[in-house]
Amino acid sequence: MCAIHQPNLFPRLSTLAKLYAVDRWIVLDDVQFTRRDYQHRARLADRDEPARQQWLTLPTHLPQGRPTSISQARLVDPRRSRRTVQLLVRQYYGRSLHWQAVSNVLDEVLDTLDTSHHRVADIARTSTTALRPVRHRLSRPARQLRTLSLAEYQF
């Protein structure tokens, strides 16, 4: 089986569930970048107060303006984006029982932030592929995962 999906930064659990179920994932990054979508942002939730949520957003430059494709979108300030990702993920999930697994994902994303030529699609793709091995940590049935975002799942 095959799935075609746009790269999302720390994708929703429904997206991950779809990708776990297939043999091949085709990254759809030659379509228009959408500022209100998840290519460059993710919603984080506090472990103790799940209703307290915050957007993790990577400020993005669109060289061709609105018609810029996802593959052409670049980070505005890569150093600041790296620092924001590192600090917010640690702040929200650093006390988690599964911090080591989250930390491994974070390390892969930070490495990509350092080496990706500032392409948003590469960073989003890495955050997705790095989360795939974490699937055994998900204890909820797949049907319930379809409606949850990463912010709503308690690591």
Side-chain angles (χ1 to χ4, degrees), residues 17 36 59 97 153:
R36 294 199 176 266
L97 294 175
Y153 188 79

Side-chain angles (χ1 to χ4, degrees), residues 44-99:
L44 305 178
D46 187 274
R47 277 193 43 77
D48 299 324
E49 291 182 61
R52 189 178 138 239
Q53 299 181 1
Q54 179 175 347
W55 283 104
L56 165 61
T57 303
L58 303 179
T60 303
H61 171 65
L62 305 179
Q64 282 77 43
R66 193 171 185 179
T68 301
S69 69
I70 297 168
S71 63
Q72 296 169 329
R74 299 288 190 269
L75 295 177
V76 169
D77 186 345
R79 289 180 59 192
R80 185 172 182 191
S81 291
R82 184 188 198 287
R83 183 167 166 75
T84 299
V85 169
Q86 185 174 28
L87 292 175
L88 282 178
V89 171
R90 181 176 295 279
Q91 175 185 340
Y92 277 80
Y93 303 109
R95 293 182 298 138
S96 163
L97 294 175
H98 303 291
W99 170 245

Side-chain angles (χ1 to χ4, degrees), residues 14 27 71:
S14 59
V27 179
S71 63

Side-chain angles (χ1 to χ4, degrees), residues 7-67:
N8 295 158
L9 181 65
F10 299 114
R12 294 175 56 89
L13 291 175
S14 59
T15 302
L16 290 174
K18 179 170 75 170
L19 297 180
Y20 295 150
V22 299
D23 301 314
R24 190 171 306 254
W25 170 36
I26 298 173
V27 179
L28 182 63
D29 63 359
D30 61 350
V31 296
Q32 182 178 345
F33 180 90
T34 308
R35 287 208 181 269
R36 294 199 176 266
D37 210 336
Y38 295 92
Q39 292 106 12
H40 70 302
R41 63 188 192 146
R43 203 171 60 209
L44 305 178
D46 187 274
R47 277 193 43 77
D48 299 324
E49 291 182 61
R52 189 178 138 239
Q53 299 181 1
Q54 179 175 347
W55 283 104
L56 165 61
T57 303
L58 303 179
T60 303
H61 171 65
L62 305 179
Q64 282 77 43
R66 193 171 185 179

